Structure formats: C-alpha cells, structure tokens
Amino acid sequence: MGMTMTQKILAAHAGLESVKAGQLIEAKLDLVLGNDVTTPVAIKEFKKIGVDKVFDKDKVAIVPDHFTPNKDIKSAEHCKMVREFAHDKDVTNYFEVGQMGIEHCLLPESGLTVPGDVIIGADSHTCTYGAVGAFSTGVGSTDMAVGMARGVAWFKVPSALKFVLKNKPAEWVSGKDIILHIIGMIGVDGALYKSMEFAGDGLQYLSMDDRFTIANMAIEAGGKNGIFPVDEKTLEYVKEHSQKTPVIYEADEDAEYDAVYEIDLSTLRPTVAYPHLPENTKTIDEAKGLEIDQVVIGSCTNGRISDMRIAASILKGKKIDKNIRCIILPGTQKIWLQCVEEGLATIFVEAGCAFSTPTCGPCLGGHMGILAKGERALSTTNRNFIGRMGHPESEVYLASPAVAAASAIYGKITDPAEV
Amino acid sequence: MKACGTVFKYGDNIDTDVIIPARYLNSSDPKELAAHCMEDAIHSTVPFAANVKEGDIIVAEKNFGCGSSREHAPIAIKASGISCVIAKSFARIFYRNAINIGLPILECEDAANDIEMGDKVEVNFDTGVITNLTKNKTYQAQPFPQFMKEMMAAGGLIEQTKVKLGLK
C-alpha cells in the first residue's frame, strides 16, 4: 500500500522503509521551535533532563512574539528567562525584539523551513510550514524540551484526508476563505489526529501566502498537519529565502485516504466564522451588515505582505468608520519595512488605522487590542473561542484581510466587492 | 491504580483558552494557573476553581483541549487536584501533553454520555473500568496503548528521556 506525503516524510526521518497509519515512531527533527509563552515551561523541563547542551544549536528556534514587546513585568521575567537560556545554549536562531516577527511568518521568511523537513513547535500553529511541503506540527513544552535535548520526537503516524482544490478562486476569495470553508464543512474536529493533504489544479492559483494561511489553520480542524505538494512556486520561494536544500516528497498514487473532498474554488464566497468556533461559518452574503467595534488585520494566519497589500488596496484614499478601532500588525520586521517602502503604511495611517510592530498581541487576548465586555471584533486571526481576544462576553468573527479592511470602512461586516 | 472523585461535567470542544485564558499565561507557576483553571467556562453551573477538591474528575464530550498547544492547560488541571479527565475524544496536542506530563486521560463515549455534573465516579486505570457510584453503572474506556503505559509508568516523557540518555 502506498504512503501519503506526510507518511513518506515521517518514514524517512524515522529511518524506516515505510510506515502506516497508527504506527508509533520516533523521528529525527530538523527544527524545534518555541515562543515566550511555551519556552519558559520547556526550559524548566529541559533542566530536569540534565543535559548541558541543546542537540544542535542551529536547529532550535526561539521567537519571543506573544507578549512582546514585554506587556507587563511577569512577561518581561519570562522573556528574560528565555533570552538567558538562548544565550547560554548559544541558540543560533533566537530572534530578539527588533529582529523578531510572529514566529510562523518569520521562520519561513528566514529560510529555516524547507520542503521535506520534520519540524515541531511549542505553538499549535506550527502546522503553517506544511505550505512549503514540510511535516510540521504543534506540540507542548515538554515535547519541545525533549526535542531540544535529543533532536527527536514521538509520533503516531497519521492517516489523511485529501482536499482536491479545483479551478480558479472566485474574486475576493483568498486562502483564508478556502480554509474557513473547509473547517465549516468538516468541523473543528473533522481532521482530528489526521493529516490534511491538499492537491488539485486549483493549487496553481494559490500564492505561497495563501498556502501559509491554509496550512496554518489545519489545527482549527483538529488536524495534525496540513501539507501542500512542492511545485515551482514553492521552490522559487525556498530559493529566494533559504540556503537549505529542499527534499521533495510526493504522495504515492495508491496512497490511502480516510476521505477525499473535492472543492470547486470558483464557487466559494468570502467566508466569515461566527463565535465561538471556527466551524461556525457563513458566507459574506449572510454575514454582511453586522456591526463591529474593532478590526484586527495581522497574525500568523494573515500578517504577510500580500495580506497587507490587499488591505491597503481597499483602504487607499478611504477613512475607516469613526466608531471602529482598526489595528494592523505586519508579521515581521521585513514585512513592516515593505509596508513602509511600498506606501502601505501611509495608506493605513491616513485611513485612521493603528500600524504596529509585529506581535501576536490581540489574537490571543494578550495585549494591543483587548476587547471589553460585549464588544465585537472582526479579525483576520485564527480563533474565535470564548474570551479569546479579551472579556469572556466579547465576540470575535474571523475573516480575510479583504473583508476586514472593507468592514473597517463601514463599521459593519462588508463584502469587499461592494466598497 | 485508581482515582475517585466528584465530577465536573463539560460539553463539546472545551478549548485551552477556556481551560486557562491567555491573560494568565504570563505565569508558568502551576498553583497560579490552577487558581484560574476553567475560568472562562462561563456556561458551567458550578464554578471550577472555587469548588474543585483533590481527586475530582473532569468529564467532557468531544474534542476536549482543542486550540492552543499551551501545556499550561493540563498543568492547571493537574495542579487543581484533578485525578483524571474522561472525554469522548481529545484534541491531539492536549492528548500528548497530558500523557507527557502524567495527567491520566481516558476516552469513553458511554461515560461521557451518561455521567452528569456532581456524580461520584471511580476510575480503575489498570482495567479502564469507570464506575459511576451515584448512578450505580459501569463503563469501559479504551485502554492505553503499550507505548503510553510505558511512558506513564516511567513518570512521563522527561523521566523516560533521562533513562534513554543514561542520566538515570
């Protein structure tokens, strides 16, 4: 029986000819990631193991991005602990404030994630790197600690769902709309313990940024990972950003899937997920008109340059509604600078938006845009759980940057086609 | 090994933001996290942190622990004194975090369907038998795979790693 793309990558990293779904393996890691929330717990566990060094100082990445620039004294203490550990262990890829970005925007841009890699990260959205054809999955702090010590992790080999994306997406339909549509279709545990493997002629119309967004939210369907085949766009991206050598794996033709879904991208509509689960999706036609208090454009899901460009194309020459706070957070320092150089930052500020240094900040209710009781946000982030962005009685609606920018102008959920 | 306690019952898709809201993640101290455990389970009739006692048990429906990978979630539950979490299914990162830190978890659809808030429940980890002392009923949970049993017996992933590295 053939293997899926994920299974092939895992087999190669476990030193096995083949693996099958359900098998428990130990696989070698190409990268171990942590942030300022999860690394402090990992450091405590790492110290318990009793090793002096990390397994490979070039294969650990630590990105303080959640509560940075430090939001309070306790966060500052955590960041200090993380900084001292990174320095003490001579971690090559430690990114200080000023160089850091949102981890899942930053690592691919820094060339640390390439096709064929096995990557774990103590952050659930580590699944983002499936966009470049890597096996990449979120774990907890103890896994991070053991990964840093030994360079291996245990995995149960996942079975897979195949999503065949067909045709060219309709106008204003982005990677975000595609993944929200999929989560709405299969539910927040529709891919539980499984790989989500993407295929089909529709992939040629998806930019790398679209693919990052889609892979990023595999976890919101419960998926272990989301993964794209490696094509010319992938190789071009990797060549531009990385010195590492890509290793290309393809699913076998006779690979087994638990289910195959065909999605005609030309029929999709911009999609909005209602509180309090990403599966509560409605089309823009059903959602438009709902009044909002805040718009957030950014995050590991939608903080990349194409997200900034589309938001700017809609906000150009416009003013946001006087009752709206619109907070824009580019994902990395490089993207921030691109926004300045391309004139996007000027458009945002002239429209009345706040334009911030990179941080996860409001996405997880950390800082930089917390909601009061009863307030409602439309956000390009990834979760709309109870209390996610602030008060337990606030609400978060998830959408694409285009819908978010259009909605900021009118103070209510708006179809970008109608701006 | 057995656990016995009063049940806190929850529904589907209890996410890790509800288990431990991010506003408390500027701490990694288990006791401090436990003080805010389940704080955003705003639809629950029994406030968790104020009522939980050593040995109590959480029972939930499907996809318990979905969302963020924060290990603070199982840490907060464990530090609250919870002896076992029973659910129809667990989100995968929560599942591995619980195993890695030695918080006992069991998948059992029948138990999750039948057990109610406040029931007294006993769990036998060796047999996977869950006994509802209030309703005088038993349910059979999926036993742990051998791999998991070995890790739990070693005292979690860190202790097992020490053995593998010859540090213990």
Side-chain angles (χ1 to χ4, degrees), chain A residues 23-71:
Chain A
Q23 189 175 345
L24 286 153
I25 58 162
E26 202 170 73
K28 284 189 182 165
L29 303 172
D30 297 299
L31 191 66
V32 178
L33 163 71
N35 58 49
D36 55 310
V37 166
T38 56
T39 308
V41 179
I43 292 170
K44 288 182 192 174
E45 298 303 314
F46 183 87
K47 286 181 177 163
K48 287 182 197 166
I49 299 170
V51 291
D52 297 332
K53 296 177 184 168
V54 296
F55 82 105
D56 185 333
K57 69 186 182 67
D58 296 330
K59 292 184 178 176
V60 173
I62 299 179
V63 189
D65 59 355
H66 277 53
F67 296 158
T68 55
N70 303 336
K71 81 179 178 90

Coordinates of all heavy atoms in Angstrom, one line a residue, chain A residues 23-71:
Chain A
Q23 N 0.9 3.7 13.4 CA 2.2 3.2 13.9 C 2.9 4.3 14.8 O 2.8 5.5 14.5 CB 3.1 2.9 12.7 CG 4.4 2.2 13.0 CD 5.1 1.9 11.7 OE1 4.6 1.9 10.6 NE2 6.4 1.6 11.8
L24 N 3.5 3.8 15.9 CA 4.2 4.8 16.8 C 5.7 4.8 16.4 O 6.3 3.7 16.3 CB 4.0 4.4 18.2 CG 2.6 4.7 18.8 CD1 2.2 3.8 19.9 CD2 2.5 6.2 19.2
I25 N 6.2 5.9 16.1 CA 7.6 6.0 15.7 C 8.3 7.2 16.5 O 7.7 8.0 17.1 CB 7.7 6.4 14.2 CG1 7.0 7.7 13.9 CG2 7.2 5.3 13.3 CD1 7.3 8.3 12.6
E26 N 9.7 7.1 16.4 CA 10.5 8.2 16.9 C 11.2 8.8 15.6 O 11.9 8.1 14.9 CB 11.5 7.7 17.9 CG 12.0 8.8 18.8 CD 12.8 8.2 20.0 OE1 14.0 7.8 19.7 OE2 12.3 8.2 21.1
A27 N 11.0 10.1 15.4 CA 11.5 10.7 14.2 C 12.5 11.8 14.5 O 12.4 12.5 15.5 CB 10.4 11.3 13.3
K28 N 13.5 11.9 13.7 CA 14.6 13.0 13.8 C 14.0 14.3 13.4 O 13.2 14.4 12.5 CB 15.8 12.7 12.9 CG 16.6 11.6 13.5 CD 17.9 11.5 12.7 CE 18.8 10.3 13.2 NZ 19.8 9.9 12.3
L29 N 14.4 15.3 14.2 CA 13.8 16.7 13.9 C 14.8 17.6 13.2 O 16.0 17.6 13.5 CB 13.4 17.3 15.3 CG 12.5 16.5 16.1 CD1 12.3 17.1 17.5 CD2 11.1 16.4 15.4
D30 N 14.3 18.4 12.3 CA 15.1 19.4 11.6 C 15.0 20.7 12.3 O 15.9 21.6 12.0 CB 14.7 19.5 10.1 CG 14.9 18.2 9.4 OD1 16.0 17.7 9.3 OD2 13.9 17.6 8.9
L31 N 14.0 20.9 13.0 CA 13.8 22.2 13.7 C 12.9 22.0 14.9 O 11.9 21.4 14.8 CB 13.2 23.3 12.8 CG 13.3 24.7 13.2 CD1 14.7 25.2 13.3 CD2 12.5 25.6 12.2
V32 N 13.3 22.7 16.0 CA 12.4 22.7 17.2 C 12.2 24.2 17.6 O 13.1 24.9 17.7 CB 13.2 22.0 18.4 CG1 12.3 22.0 19.7 CG2 13.5 20.6 18.1
L33 N 10.9 24.5 17.7 CA 10.5 25.9 17.9 C 9.8 26.2 19.2 O 9.1 25.3 19.7 CB 9.6 26.3 16.7 CG 8.7 27.6 16.9 CD1 9.6 28.8 16.8 CD2 7.7 27.6 15.8
G34 N 10.1 27.3 19.8 CA 9.3 27.8 21.0 C 9.1 29.3 21.0 O 9.9 30.0 20.3
N35 N 8.2 29.8 21.8 CA 7.9 31.2 21.9 C 8.0 31.6 23.4 O 8.4 30.8 24.2 CB 6.6 31.6 21.3 CG 5.4 30.8 21.9 OD1 5.3 30.8 23.2 ND2 4.6 30.2 21.1
D36 N 7.7 32.8 23.7 CA 7.9 33.4 25.0 C 6.8 32.8 26.0 O 7.0 33.0 27.2 CB 7.8 34.9 25.0 CG 6.6 35.5 24.4 OD1 6.3 35.0 23.3 OD2 5.9 36.3 25.0
V37 N 5.8 32.2 25.6 CA 4.8 31.6 26.5 C 5.1 30.2 26.8 O 5.0 29.7 27.9 CB 3.3 31.7 25.9 CG1 2.4 30.8 26.6 CG2 2.9 33.2 25.9
T38 N 5.5 29.4 25.7 CA 5.8 28.0 25.9 C 7.2 27.6 26.3 O 7.4 26.6 26.9 CB 5.4 27.3 24.6 OG1 6.2 27.8 23.5 CG2 3.9 27.4 24.2
T39 N 8.2 28.5 25.9 CA 9.6 28.1 26.2 C 9.9 28.2 27.7 O 10.7 27.3 28.1 CB 10.5 29.0 25.3 OG1 10.1 29.0 24.0 CG2 12.0 28.6 25.5
P40 N 9.4 29.1 28.5 CA 9.7 29.0 29.9 C 9.3 27.7 30.5 O 10.1 27.2 31.3 CB 8.8 30.2 30.5 CG 8.7 31.2 29.4 CD 8.6 30.3 28.1
V41 N 8.2 27.1 30.2 CA 7.8 25.8 30.7 C 8.8 24.7 30.1 O 9.2 23.8 30.9 CB 6.4 25.4 30.3 CG1 6.0 24.0 30.9 CG2 5.4 26.5 30.9
A42 N 9.2 24.9 28.9 CA 10.1 23.9 28.3 C 11.5 24.0 28.9 O 12.2 23.0 29.1 CB 10.2 24.2 26.8
I43 N 11.9 25.2 29.3 CA 13.2 25.4 29.9 C 13.3 24.6 31.3 O 14.2 23.9 31.6 CB 13.6 26.9 30.1 CG1 13.8 27.5 28.8 CG2 14.8 27.0 31.0 CD1 13.9 29.0 28.8
K44 N 12.2 24.8 32.1 CA 12.1 24.1 33.3 C 12.2 22.6 33.1 O 12.9 21.9 33.9 CB 10.7 24.4 34.0 CG 10.6 25.8 34.6 CD 9.3 26.0 35.3 CE 9.1 27.5 35.6 NZ 7.7 27.7 36.1
E45 N 11.5 22.0 32.1 CA 11.6 20.6 31.8 C 12.9 20.2 31.3 O 13.4 19.1 31.7 CB 10.4 20.2 30.8 CG 9.0 20.5 31.3 CD 8.7 19.8 32.7 OE1 9.0 18.6 32.8 OE2 8.2 20.4 33.6
F46 N 13.5 21.0 30.5 CA 14.8 20.8 29.9 C 15.9 20.6 31.0 O 16.7 19.7 31.0 CB 15.2 21.9 28.9 CG 16.6 21.7 28.2 CD1 16.6 21.0 27.0 CD2 17.7 22.2 28.8 CE1 17.8 20.9 26.4 CE2 19.0 22.1 28.1 CZ 19.0 21.4 26.9
K47 N 15.8 21.5 32.0 CA 16.7 21.4 33.1 C 16.6 20.1 33.9 O 17.6 19.6 34.4 CB 16.5 22.7 34.0 CG 17.1 23.9 33.4 CD 17.0 25.1 34.3 CE 17.6 26.3 33.6 NZ 17.2 27.6 34.2
K48 N 15.4 19.6 34.0 CA 15.1 18.4 34.7 C 15.8 17.2 34.0 O 16.2 16.2 34.7 CB 13.6 18.0 34.8 CG 12.8 18.9 35.8 CD 11.4 18.4 35.8 CE 10.5 19.5 36.4 NZ 9.1 19.2 36.1
I49 N 16.0 17.3 32.7 CA 16.6 16.1 32.0 C 18.1 16.0 32.4 O 18.6 14.9 32.5 CB 16.5 16.3 30.4 CG1 15.0 16.4 30.0 CG2 17.2 15.2 29.7 CD1 14.7 16.8 28.6
G50 N 18.7 17.1 32.5 CA 20.1 17.1 33.0 C 21.2 17.1 31.9 O 22.3 16.7 32.2
V51 N 20.8 17.5 30.7 CA 21.8 17.7 29.6 C 22.3 19.1 29.6 O 21.6 20.0 30.1 CB 21.3 17.3 28.2 CG1 21.1 15.8 28.1 CG2 20.1 18.1 27.9
D52 N 23.6 19.3 29.2 CA 24.1 20.7 29.2 C 23.8 21.5 28.0 O 23.7 22.7 28.0 CB 25.7 20.6 29.3 CG 26.1 19.9 30.5 OD1 25.4 19.9 31.5 OD2 27.2 19.2 30.5
K53 N 23.7 20.8 26.8 CA 23.5 21.5 25.6 C 22.2 21.1 24.9 O 21.7 20.0 25.1 CB 24.7 21.1 24.6 CG 26.1 21.5 25.1 CD 27.0 20.9 24.1 CE 28.5 21.2 24.5 NZ 29.4 20.4 23.7
V54 N 21.8 22.0 23.9 CA 20.8 21.6 23.0 C 21.4 20.6 21.9 O 22.6 20.7 21.7 CB 20.1 22.8 22.3 CG1 19.4 23.6 23.4 CG2 21.0 23.6 21.5
F55 N 20.6 19.8 21.3 CA 21.1 18.8 20.4 C 21.8 19.4 19.2 O 22.8 18.8 18.7 CB 20.0 17.8 20.0 CG 19.2 18.3 18.8 CD1 19.3 17.8 17.5 CD2 18.2 19.3 19.0 CE1 18.5 18.2 16.5 CE2 17.4 19.7 17.9 CZ 17.6 19.2 16.7
D56 N 21.4 20.5 18.8 CA 22.0 21.2 17.6 C 21.6 22.7 17.7 O 20.5 23.0 17.5 CB 21.6 20.6 16.3 CG 22.3 21.1 15.1 OD1 22.7 22.3 15.2 OD2 22.4 20.4 14.1
K57 N 22.6 23.5 18.0 CA 22.3 24.9 18.2 C 21.7 25.6 17.0 O 21.0 26.6 17.1 CB 23.5 25.7 18.8 CG 24.6 25.9 17.8 CD 25.8 26.5 18.5 CE 26.9 26.8 17.5 NZ 26.6 27.8 16.5
D58 N 21.9 25.0 15.8 CA 21.3 25.6 14.6 C 19.9 25.1 14.3 O 19.2 25.6 13.4 CB 22.2 25.3 13.4 CG 23.6 25.9 13.5 OD1 23.7 26.9 14.1 OD2 24.5 25.2 13.0
K59 N 19.5 24.1 15.1 CA 18.1 23.5 14.8 C 17.1 23.8 15.9 O 16.1 23.1 16.0 CB 18.3 22.0 14.6 CG 19.0 21.7 13.3 CD 19.1 20.2 13.0 CE 19.8 20.0 11.7 NZ 20.0 18.5 11.4
V60 N 17.4 24.8 16.7 CA 16.4 25.3 17.7 C 16.1 26.8 17.3 O 17.0 27.5 17.0 CB 17.0 25.2 19.1 CG1 16.1 25.9 20.1 CG2 17.3 23.8 19.5
A61 N 14.9 27.1 17.3 CA 14.5 28.5 17.0 C 13.6 29.0 18.2 O 12.6 28.3 18.6 CB 13.7 28.6 15.7
I62 N 14.0 30.1 18.7 CA 13.2 30.7 19.8 C 12.8 32.1 19.5 O 13.6 32.9 19.1 CB 14.0 30.7 21.2 CG1 14.3 29.2 21.5 CG2 13.2 31.3 22.3 CD1 15.1 29.0 22.8
V63 N 11.5 32.3 19.5 CA 10.9 33.6 19.0 C 10.0 34.2 20.1 O 8.8 33.7 20.2 CB 10.1 33.4 17.7 CG1 9.7 34.8 17.1 CG2 10.9 32.6 16.7
P64 N 10.4 35.1 20.8 CA 9.5 35.8 21.8 C 8.6 36.7 21.0 O 9.0 37.8 20.6 CB 10.4 36.6 22.7 CG 11.7 36.7 22.0 CD 11.8 35.7 20.9
D65 N 7.3 36.3 20.8 CA 6.4 37.0 19.9 C 5.0 37.2 20.5 O 4.3 38.1 20.1 CB 6.3 36.4 18.6 CG 5.7 34.9 18.6 OD1 5.6 34.4 19.8 OD2 5.5 34.3 17.6
H66 N 4.7 36.5 21.6 CA 3.3 36.5 22.1 C 3.0 37.8 22.9 O 2.1 38.5 22.6 CB 3.0 35.3 22.9 CG 2.6 34.1 22.0 ND1 3.3 33.7 21.0 CD2 1.5 33.3 22.0 CE1 2.7 32.6 20.4 NE2 1.6 32.4 21.0
F67 N 3.8 38.0 23.9 CA 3.6 39.1 24.8 C 4.7 40.1 24.7 O 5.0 40.8 25.7 CB 3.4 38.6 26.3 CG 2.3 37.7 26.6 CD1 2.2 36.9 27.6 CD2 1.1 37.7 25.8 CE1 1.2 36.0 27.9 CE2 0.0 36.9 26.0 CZ 0.0 36.1 27.1
T68 N 5.3 40.2 23.5 CA 6.4 41.2 23.3 C 5.9 42.2 22.3 O 5.0 42.0 21.5 CB 7.6 40.4 22.7 OG1 7.2 39.7 21.5 CG2 8.2 39.5 23.7
P69 N 6.6 43.4 22.3 CA 7.5 43.9 23.3 C 6.8 43.8 24.7 O 5.6 44.0 24.8 CB 7.7 45.3 23.0 CG 7.5 45.4 21.5 CD 6.5 44.4 21.2
N70 N 7.6 43.3 25.7 CA 7.0 42.9 27.0 C 5.8 43.7 27.5 O 5.9 44.9 27.6 CB 8.1 43.0 28.1 CG 9.3 42.1 27.7 OD1 9.2 41.2 26.9 ND2 10.4 42.5 28.3
K71 N 4.7 43.0 27.7 CA 3.5 43.7 28.0 C 3.3 44.0 29.5 O 2.6 44.9 29.9 CB 2.2 42.9 27.6 CG 1.8 41.8 28.4 CD 0.6 41.1 27.8 CE 0.1 39.9 28.7 NZ -0.9 40.3 29.7

